[in-house]
Amino acid sequence: MTLYYNKRDLIIVDDNKATMPFRLGLTALLLALGLRAQQPIPDNPLRAGANQKKATRINEAIYQAIGFGNAMMVVTSDGNVVIDTSIRAQAERNKKLLQAENSGPVKYIILTHGHGDHTGGVPLWKEAGTQVIAQKNHVEFMNYQARLNGFFARRNAAQFAGLTPEIGPWPGNYGAKIEPTILFDDRYEFTLGGMKFELYHTPGETPDHLTVWVPKYRAAFIGDNYYTSFPNMYTLRGTQPRPALDYINSLNKVLALRPEIVIPSHGAAIHGNAEITERLTRYRDAIQYVHDAVVAGMNNGKDVFTLMRQIKLPANLEVGESYGRLTWSIRGIYEGYAGWFDGNPATMYETPASSAFPDLVKLAGGPDRVAQLAAERVASGELVEALHLTDAALSVDPGHSKALEVRLQALQKLRQQSHNSNESGWLDNGIQRVKQRLASDK
Ligand SMILES: [Zn+2]
């Protein structure tokens, strides 16, 4: 899951795991900023932690503040270690919850990865002498996010049906603010107050992802490489490939540690090696199944849309799709390996298939007829087909009221059916845009 900040430190939300508490927090934040309020989203397994009044005590030394991006604290006799710091909007609350348990000095902040829902509270937590640790790919990952600040600002705002915030000046290709004072390659360890901390590079959701291992408690802080939904291997706001095999290797690394506690950065801790092994193994195997099915399909000459329709997880590998979605991951894997060209000579040029829409609409008898056909598709439940038809009608007449109304119905029905928070965000954004267009024509 991700969040970004522009140069003015407005929160611009990503990606991924919009949880209910997160959405509510974001709504409050956007309202405070004078931006548009959000629609509610459907239930989400990551909603745990709403209204948390007291940090969760994992054991005698480990505490967890749950939010959009949990923040964790490990207490030692010689000061504390903070693992992830939440989005900026929640960082202060989470810091208060954790410091109510122990207000010792913060000796280390460890970032499981460079998404804003993990890095947002670093400036709040950092004290004189605090070391901030990240994997070395953090630097390029932060630069990548900053490099595309305008793109991500717009896409993140759209994903949450908000208004695009004012975008700061382009920081340049290497203009990110880099907080870590310690960067490592594969492995890093330190001891504080007699407690050993081992850090392993575990790429998955991001290339700079790491896992923190505290041997004394057999506790693994797994970041975003595990949560209670199929992983968001492609996020709709846009991402570089998130390689499936990286997730698999990293999950194997964590399983090999034989943890007794796994503490994810979204959702609650898992206790007991048997439960952990069962959940992480199923998660890994689900990813492996999808990856291998995509690769087999590619090698057998299948196109990406066929694979998106055909690949289904067997029942014993179901892990939920409230955040990541199988079809997006299938396309993410396919295009992550192959890029955008689909092998059709018509698509290698700068003239898209939609350039034929006006001719086809004319042939059909005009946008009224196409809008009527779209309405019939809505009535028969073919909602995405209806959206495509309205795209065609609106390409001829962008203000066509019947086409807009049918499009609105299709989007609203899809929204009612949605149990995925990212899908819901984009549908809300689409609904908002159609309503704006309809209002502007009145
Ligand atoms: Zn996250």
Side-chain angles (χ1 to χ4, degrees):
M1 300 181 196
T2 357
L3 285 189
Y4 293 94
Y5 301 85
N6 71 8
K7 279 292 184 188
R8 298 180 58 207
D9 279 346
L10 292 181
I11 289 196
I12 304 160
V13 187
D14 151 322
D15 131 292
N16 304 339
K17 306 147 194 182
T19 64
M20 181 64 88
F22 167 67
R23 285 268 182 155
L24 293 174
L26 180 74
T27 301
L29 179 78
L30 292 177
L31 283 171
L33 293 169
L35 300 177
R36 187 174 301 263
Q38 314 301 299
Q39 299 282 330
I41 63 153
D43 277 352
N44 187 298
L46 301 162
R47 64 182 297 173
N51 306 316
Q52 188 183 22
K53 297 281 191 293
K54 188 170 165 47
T56 304
R57 183 183 182 276
I58 306 283
N59 65 19
E60 62 192 22
I62 304 173
Y63 297 88
Q64 183 185 42
I66 291 186
F68 187 76
N70 300 332
M72 278 70 64
M73 184 173 73
V74 185
V75 175
T76 86
S77 57
D78 200 21
N80 298 337
V81 176
V82 172
I83 299 166
D84 284 347
T85 62
S86 307
I87 56 166
R88 182 149 318 174
Q90 292 180 346
E92 205 159 323
R93 182 204 81 142
N94 286 350
K95 185 181 175 205
K96 272 192 193 134
L97 289 177
L98 293 172
Q99 291 204 317
E101 305 297 333
N102 188 296
S103 57
V106 179
K107 294 293 179 72
Y108 292 92
I109 298 169
I110 304 172
L111 300 171
T112 64
H113 60 292
H115 280 153
D117 53 322
H118 303 259
T119 62
V122 171
L124 282 178
W125 280 102
K126 207 171 175 179
E127 299 169 358
T130 303
Q131 298 283 357
V132 181
I133 312 180
Q135 200 277 338
K136 72 173 187 186
N137 293 338
H138 181 86
V139 175
E140 165 51 22
F141 190 72
M142 296 304 283
N143 281 326
Y144 150 71
Q145 293 178 113
R147 190 178 300 145
L148 290 163
N149 67 336
F151 174 83
F152 285 135
R154 290 183 178 82
R155 294 284 284 258
N156 288 325
Q159 190 143 305
F160 291 88
L163 297 180
T164 301
E166 189 179 331
I167 296 161
W170 185 57
N173 284 321
Y174 302 98
K177 181 164 169 37
I178 305 299
E179 296 276 13
T181 53
I182 297 171
L183 294 163
F184 70 96
D185 191 349
D186 285 331
R187 188 178 188 280
Y188 182 80
E189 69 172 62
F190 65 91
T191 300
L192 183 68
M195 203 182 298
K196 198 168 157 195
F197 292 79
E198 298 174 10
L199 280 57
Y200 296 97
H201 183 208
T202 49
E205 180 163 302
T206 64
D208 70 331
H209 200 285
L210 64 83
T211 294
V212 184
W213 174 241
V214 182
K216 181 177 177 186
Y217 299 112
R218 306 200 67 77
F221 296 78
I222 198 170
D224 283 9
N225 281 346
Y226 173 83
Y227 43 79
T228 52
S229 165
F230 195 81
N232 206 28
M233 285 199 281
Y234 177 79
T235 183
L236 297 176
R237 58 118 178 123
T239 181
Q240 294 172 315
R242 297 174 172 183
L245 296 180
D246 281 358
Y247 276 96
I248 291 163
N249 291 334
S250 293
L251 286 162
N252 279 335
K253 233 183 218 181
V254 176
L255 280 164
L257 295 167
R258 299 201 57 75
E260 287 295 333
I261 311 170
V262 161
I263 302 145
S265 292
H266 297 275
I270 318 169
H271 294 268
N273 184 257
E275 175 74 11
I276 289 164
T277 301
E278 197 215 315
R279 285 215 228 168
L280 265 54
T281 301
R282 190 186 318 135
Y283 206 63
R284 176 200 66 192
D285 291 351
I287 296 168
Q288 181 94 52
Y289 182 94
V290 172
H291 170 269
D292 290 357
V294 173
V295 169
M298 291 175 79
N299 285 327
N300 288 327
K302 291 195 175 172
D303 70 276
V304 68
F305 292 104
T306 300
L307 295 178
M308 286 168 77
R309 289 189 299 272
Q310 286 182 348
I311 297 171
K312 309 278 181 209
L313 279 174
N316 65 323
L317 295 181
E318 294 276 0
V319 292
E321 296 187 63
S322 61
Y323 198 70
R325 188 162 161 158
L326 225 57
T327 50
W328 304 333
S329 294
I330 291 163
R331 190 167 179 183
I333 294 165
Y334 196 118
E335 296 188 357
Y337 277 134
W340 57 265
F341 183 54
D342 62 2
N344 172 3
T347 68
M348 67 181 166
Y349 301 102
E350 63 275 22
T351 308
S354 58
S355 66
F357 282 175
D359 282 343
L360 293 171
V361 170
K362 194 172 160 192
L363 197 64
D368 289 352
R369 298 285 297 272
V370 176
Q372 177 54 37
L373 192 56
E376 289 165 22
R377 290 276 188 256
V378 170
S380 62
E382 295 159 289
L383 302 171
V384 180
E385 289 82 347
L387 287 182
H388 289 315
L389 286 169
T390 61
D391 276 335
L394 293 167
S395 75
V396 176
D397 178 1
H400 194 274
S401 58
K402 169 88 176 168
L404 287 168
E405 278 156 18
V406 174
R407 186 176 182 81
L408 184 60
Q409 285 170 21
L411 290 167
Q412 286 170 333
K413 281 179 188 280
L414 284 165
R415 180 66 177 79
Q416 283 160 15
Q417 294 170 10
S418 175
H419 296 289
N420 178 292
S421 58
N422 292 306
E423 177 191 25
S424 301
W426 282 99
L427 290 169
D428 284 342
N429 176 254
I431 288 166
Q432 189 186 102
R433 280 190 285 165
V434 175
K435 282 184 173 171
Q436 280 167 355
R437 180 74 218 204
L438 280 165
S440 73
D441 288 345
K442 285 199 172 125

